[in-house]
Amino acid sequence: MKPSRLASHSAMGLLTLGLTAALVATMIPSAALAEEAEPVRGHYPLPETGNVIGEAYTVSVEEGDTLIDLAREHNVGYEAIRMANPDVSLWAPFAGTEVVIPNRHILPDAPREGIVINLSELRLYYYSGEDVVETYPISVGRDGFATPVGVTKTTVKVEDPAWSPPRSMREEAAARGEPVPSVVPPGPDNPLGRHAILLGLPSYLIHGTNKPDGVGMRASRGCIRMFPEDIESLYERVPSGTKVNIVDQPFKAGWSEDGELYVQSFPQLEENEGSFEPFLNAIEVVTRAFGEEQPPIDYAMLRGVVESPDGSVVSLLREAEEEPTPAAPSLEEADGLFQELEITALVDQPN
């Protein structure tokens, strides 16, 4: 084909393609042309009824993945991914292993406004709109440096903050022969990361980190640490003066939109162990969820959830089924039962 004819055919093809695209655009809304938008990281629609959001799901490990990599990719913290996959290696899982991503959550029992931080859950919730809640994994104060419970607010936001290690930390480091500078400038060695939101509580911040592998565990000296991408997102959108409600709810109960009761249990903070009886606390929480009604729940399952807290969202309603009538034992079963009773009687006799 000659060059002139090739150019002519190309031009005609482009013109036809353009007209076709224009015609399609007038017939089909642009939103319908595009695939459904990817959900924004950590953003969930607030349910019209109930307080359960998100879903748990599984992913397959690819060669070179660690559980920590998958946790960060899927908006999950260190302890949450570890508890959801107790039999999977954190640092060297086998390729093809199915990994549970625990991204179903019960909203904390607190007003739906501003920022709510649940310490035992190691998670932050931000009610950023009338119908949206955001949630992200966090690190909180380790034992001996507990993050305080209470209501405060955001104050000043600082980009590329300098960090002044507290005097106690400098003294501890010096005693180990590891002197710490009085001020750490912005940069890769700064443990505050690139963004910090100061709180009304003196010396407490919500900030990033230069060691993101530790997000989702008790690792700080009281501050709230977040993945760099999460704090950057909040930094841009959280106004100064936003309410911050710091709570400690190791056990939560909530209703799904379809009327199912779910519970979620987390390990107690070390400093609070012994301050209340976990099972009785769980019963109180569930009873409040039912109001005046007697909760028809599976108490054996409830005790199991409390005694083995792993953050799983578990359905708790007891099935409304008639208990089967026990069948009469056969002669052999009866004979064995009588033998057991005789042995038990002998064992129970006083010395």
Side-chain angles (χ1 to χ4, degrees), residues 39-122:
V40 180
R41 175 184 174 90
H43 289 223
Y44 296 92
L46 272 174
E48 293 184 6
T49 59
N51 51 356
V52 178
I53 61 171
E55 292 293 339
Y57 52 91
T58 61
V59 297
S60 294
V61 173
E62 296 184 2
E63 193 68 40
D65 282 343
T66 70
L67 238 58
I68 306 305
D69 295 331
L70 293 174
R72 183 173 180 180
E73 178 183 348
H74 292 273
N75 192 35
V76 176
Y78 178 97
E79 289 294 342
I81 200 75
R82 182 189 65 79
M83 290 190 298
N85 301 276
D87 299 323
V88 180
S89 168
L90 281 168
W91 300 105
F94 291 109
T97 301
E98 290 292 307
V99 171
V100 176
I101 304 298
N103 260 336
R104 195 172 209 192
H105 313 287
I106 298 174
L107 298 175
D109 184 13
R112 296 182 178 183
E113 55 182 317
I115 292 172
V116 177
I117 294 168
N118 189 8
L119 298 177
S120 289
E121 188 179 2
L122 297 167

Side-chain angles (χ1 to χ4, degrees), residues 115 154-158 195-199 204-207 231 234-235 238:
I115 292 172
T154 63
T155 57
V156 179
K157 300 194 291 186
V158 182
H195 300 86
I197 303 174
L198 280 65
L199 301 180
Y204 289 93
L205 302 80
I206 302 173
H207 62 80
I231 183 62
L234 280 186
Y235 182 93
V238 171

Side-chain angles (χ1 to χ4, degrees), residues 150-155 199-201 241-246:
V151 178
T152 183
K153 63 180 180 180
T154 63
T155 57
L199 301 180
L201 294 170
T242 297
K243 178 181 177 181
V244 179
N245 188 2
I246 305 174

Side-chain angles (χ1 to χ4, degrees), residues 175-190:
R176 298 192 303 267
E178 304 170 359
V180 175
S182 57
V183 176
V184 178
D189 296 328
N190 191 313

